[in-house]
Amino acid sequence: MSVVGVWVRRMQGRDPGEQHRASTPLELLFDLCFVVAVAQASGQLHHGLAEGHPSVILGYAMVFFAIWWAWMNFTWFASAYDTDDVLYRLLTLVQIAGGLVLAAGVPRAFEHYDFTVITIGYVVMRVALVAQWLRAARQDPAGRAAALRYAVGIVVVQIGWLLRLLLPGDAAYVGFAVLVVAELAVPVWAEARGRRTSWHPGHINERYGLFTLIVLGECVSASTLAVQGATTRHGLSTGLLVTAAGGLVLLFAMWWSYFKHEATAALRVSQFTNMLWGYAHYVIFAAVAAVGAGLSVVAAGSDIPPAATAATVAVPVVGYLLVSGLLHARMRPGSVQLIPLLVAAALILLTAGGAGVLGVPAAILVIGLLVAALVGLGVVTANRTATRT
């Protein structure tokens, strides 16, 4: 791709079999700006959990859906129609600006369940994305029907988000749930018949992997700042060192467990598999970011019971392991051993429940070692299978 860019290229679906298709600098900038919103959501979750407010989990789930869905919409469109000309870049930069507005609205969404600023950010992003889809419909006759369905679906649902701001009390929560279903249904409807969008399986696999790395990096940053703050306030202690060691082992093991599987080939199999891959990553991304929030709660300390403190780490870890494990088992049958996965998940929850006896730092270390042991078992099994083959 040209660094300077040309004014306008014809927007046609890119070749799904294109060799050496990699993420562009613009896509990486998009990810880095979106991780600002992820950090905001993770930080708000940390504060809510540390203060003993479990209701913050609902706000986190709602806000993270907004972040994830905006990222996902751009990612799949760019995989199919990235022309990298000036018009495409400008419209993408508008989407990034909308994402930063969304990030600015995260604290208010958590504190007052006021999604006005987030919705304004969505409007900015959606206007730019609809313009991209309409451009694709005009210039790519083969993909016109799907592109128009995307554009219409996005506009209709976005109007719904604006109208939701007028709903009072519990009706706003019901409206949110209805609109989430509508959002998830748009790609299913748009890709249901005719020529499907020509996204690139290898590129999509890389994009999801890179965003996973960025969210893991945000976890490392949040945990490090929490340890640093605790050290400044109370000095270095054995418990803090054990917590840091356990958190580091845990994050390393989570990275290994995600990247030991390759999904590119499976993404060529069926539309259902593709949708499952895309949608399941809501839980994966949200769980990884929540682990960072939990580690921050543990490192900084809180007044909630030890079992609840350890659960701020254990619960998202179990969610991450189960969803990513079952997803990879679907994508590549035989690649994941389900019984060890379920046993590890149960032991992690039991460890959190016993944090009052073990101590929270020791519980975090045990959780990290359990995930590492699960990864190690998978590596040994894979190597034995490869050797026999």
Side-chain angles (χ1 to χ4, degrees):
M1 295 289 181
S2 167
V3 175
V4 177
V6 297
W7 281 107
V8 178
R9 287 191 175 97
R10 185 176 181 82
M11 182 172 274
Q12 293 181 311
R14 295 184 63 160
D15 179 8
E18 180 182 341
Q19 296 295 314
H20 309 297
R21 179 73 190 279
S23 298
T24 66
L26 184 58
E27 287 175 318
L28 298 179
L29 176 63
F30 190 95
D31 290 357
L32 289 172
C33 290
F34 255 70
V35 84
V36 174
V38 173
Q40 288 277 352
S42 178
Q44 293 294 324
L45 179 63
H46 160 215
H47 294 305
L49 293 175
E51 294 169 4
H53 302 309
S55 60
V56 74
I57 297 172
L58 175 61
Y60 178 74
M62 294 169 71
V63 168
F64 206 95
F65 176 83
I67 297 167
W68 163 75
W69 190 246
W71 178 86
M72 184 167 156
N73 272 249
F74 166 77
T75 296
W76 288 77
F77 176 86
S79 186
Y81 287 109
D82 182 2
T83 57
D84 198 40
D85 57 14
V86 170
L87 181 56
Y88 175 88
R89 290 184 177 189
L90 289 175
L91 288 172
T92 300
L93 293 176
V94 170
Q95 291 183 72
I96 292 174
L100 294 175
V101 173
L102 184 156
V106 167
R108 188 161 185 81
F110 270 90
E111 294 166 10
H112 306 288
Y113 288 99
D114 182 354
F115 282 76
T116 303
V117 177
I118 286 181
T119 303
I120 292 171
Y122 247 76
V123 170
V124 174
M125 288 187 289
R126 290 305 180 84
V127 167
L129 183 59
V130 168
Q132 298 274 44
W133 278 117
L134 291 176
R135 183 184 174 196
R138 181 173 179 271
Q139 298 180 354
D140 183 22
R144 179 170 297 151
L148 288 174
R149 286 195 290 269
Y150 271 112
V152 170
I154 291 170
V155 168
V156 170
V157 178
Q158 187 57 51
I159 291 173
W161 285 115
L162 290 170
L163 294 176
R164 177 193 168 276
L165 296 176
L166 304 176
L167 296 176
D170 292 341
Y173 293 102
V174 175
F176 192 98
V178 170
L179 288 167
V180 165
V181 174
E183 289 280 15
L184 297 176
V186 169
V188 177
W189 171 60
E191 305 279 356
R193 59 187 185 275
R195 180 180 179 273
R196 291 172 178 166
T197 309
S198 58
W199 49 270
H200 191 287
H203 178 248
I204 287 293
N205 184 47
E206 181 191 40
R207 295 289 294 117
Y208 274 76
L210 288 173
F211 200 71
T212 302
L213 279 176
I214 289 175
V215 178
L216 279 168
E218 194 281 324
C219 282
V220 173
S221 175
S223 304
T224 301
L225 290 174
V227 170
Q228 183 183 43
T231 303
T232 301
R233 291 191 303 272
H234 310 295
L236 197 59
S237 66
T238 302
L240 195 58
L241 288 173
V242 172
T243 298
L248 198 59
V249 170
L250 175 60
L251 291 172
F252 288 168
M254 290 173 65
W255 166 82
W256 198 311
S257 71
Y258 185 91
F259 288 99
K260 71 179 180 180
H261 302 290
E262 167 61 42
T264 299
L267 286 170
R268 296 188 174 98
V269 173
S270 70
Q271 186 67 5
F272 175 79
T273 301
N274 303 335
M275 293 290 180
L276 180 64
W277 168 264
Y279 290 174
H281 272 78
Y282 164 70
V283 178
I284 293 173
F285 292 155
V288 172
V291 169
L295 289 173
S296 298
V297 171
V298 174
S302 69
D303 295 328
I304 61 177
T309 302
T312 63
V313 175
V315 171
V317 167
V318 168
Y320 167 81
L321 289 177
L322 291 179
V323 173
S324 63
L326 294 173
L327 178 63
H328 285 296
R330 163 79 189 193
M331 304 293 283
R332 294 184 62 190
S335 64
V336 176
Q337 295 178 296
L338 294 181
I339 292 179
L341 174 65
L342 296 175
V343 170
L347 290 175
I348 289 169
L349 293 177
L350 287 173
T351 300
V357 176
L358 292 172
V360 175
I364 300 304
L365 179 59
V366 171
I367 290 171
L369 292 174
L370 285 170
V371 179
L374 181 65
V375 172
L377 178 62
V379 171
V380 170
T381 303
N383 285 337
R384 286 178 178 174
T385 302
T387 301
R388 286 198 301 269
T389 302

